[in-house]
Amino acid sequence: MSTALRRTIFLVLLLIAWEAGFRIFDWGWKFPSVTQTFQAFYDGFVHGQLLQATLESIRRLLTAFILSIVIGTVLGFLFAKYRFLDDTLGFLVVALQTIPSIAWLPFAIIWFGMNDFSVIFITTLGATWTMAMSSRTGIMNIPRIYLKAAQTMGTGDGFKMFYQIMVPAAFPHMITGVRVAWAFAWRALVAGELIAKGVGLGQLLQDGRNLADTALMLCIVIIIAVLGTLSDHFCFKRLEDTILVRYGLSTKQK
């Protein structure tokens, strides 16, 4: 039995158990049934704001994610190359990594206002520190022979060495940081949208709570889970498999 067939059967059984649980235990408005959830999906995409909210959230997420990848990779390179920065700023980054990014939202609102910039700011923070530490580890584990060979061939020690040698060589380690950063960015984004103004999945989730519309709330949770799973499987996982094959760490792509 193929993996796809097993997953399909599991989802069908899950839906049946879900609907049966709703009818047997009489959950009422506290948790929606399968049919109520599907109806909420239909109304949300055809007559409501689900599509617009999803697109707006993805726009904010991609903006923050790209920023976090760039900033985190540069910080990781600096930490790996300069011991002083690693012992000082790197120590601070480890401390900042333990702070939930939503804790910075009140500061962001004071600094920037209740707008997109505040949400993007805390979403970027949510992913940057993880990416910085992951890229630092990846760069520090690059075999020295790679760097010496590159210098012998005229690469030097500057930016050319960074983007031609260090980033590709460290990528098998960095891809784990990329995947974790993506998950952290989603968490920070939804948390920020719950409070800040503007159209987005988090704000729509808040509206659903205010209206006690659990079907709408569950729709948003499902959308986030589906988008996260699809992006990880079809983007990051395939990229990871390609990199591992290229560097001889795996014999074939899955």
Side-chain angles (χ1 to χ4, degrees), residues 153-164:
M153 300 173 70
T155 303
D157 292 321
F159 185 69
K160 193 175 181 181
M161 169 72 80
F162 171 65
Y163 80 87
Q164 285 190 344

Side-chain angles (χ1 to χ4, degrees), residues 68-87:
S68 67
I69 294 298
V70 174
I71 297 172
T73 301
V74 172
L75 286 176
F77 166 76
L78 294 175
F79 296 156
K81 187 172 179 61
Y82 301 104
R83 180 65 180 271
F84 175 77
L85 289 178
D86 191 33
D87 291 340

Side-chain angles (χ1 to χ4, degrees), residues 229-241:
T229 302
L230 292 179
S231 59
D232 184 79
H233 182 75
F234 290 105
C235 182
F236 303 127
K237 185 65 170 64
R238 292 191 177 185
L239 180 60
E240 180 183 29
D241 291 341

